[in-house]
Amino acid sequence: RMTVMLNGQTVADNLDVFAEVGGYGALIRQFNTTVTETKLEIMLTGQPNGPMLKGLELLGGASAIEP
């Protein structure tokens, strides 16, 4: 179980990937946020050895994402 925060705001609390898709499944979630000052802060917290991120896709909205 983990909590996902974007720019200091909780977007998923008590998220249990294993309970939702099992040990070998992929969970896809979409969260919207506003990036200011060209910085996006992603924070995962939870049980020891629990929080992990294996893939990330960023999509621009009103303006394009620059490398």
Side-chain angles (χ1 to χ4, degrees):
R1 297 179 190 266
M2 67 178 158
T3 297
V4 180
M5 297 178 73
L6 299 177
N7 292 331
Q9 298 294 316
T10 300
V11 293
D13 193 27
N14 207 26
L15 178 62
D16 189 342
V17 177
F18 186 81
E20 292 198 36
V21 297
Y24 299 102
L27 177 65
I28 299 172
R29 289 287 179 101
Q30 177 178 326
F31 305 109
N32 296 316
T33 190
T34 301
V35 176
T36 57
E37 300 179 22
T38 66
K39 177 182 169 185
L40 172 62
E41 182 180 67
I42 301 170
M43 178 180 252
L44 307 175
T45 59
Q47 299 173 349
N49 301 318
M52 70 177 70
L53 180 65
K54 293 187 176 185
L56 177 67
E57 179 180 22
L58 300 175
L59 301 174
S63 62
I65 297 174
E66 297 181 23

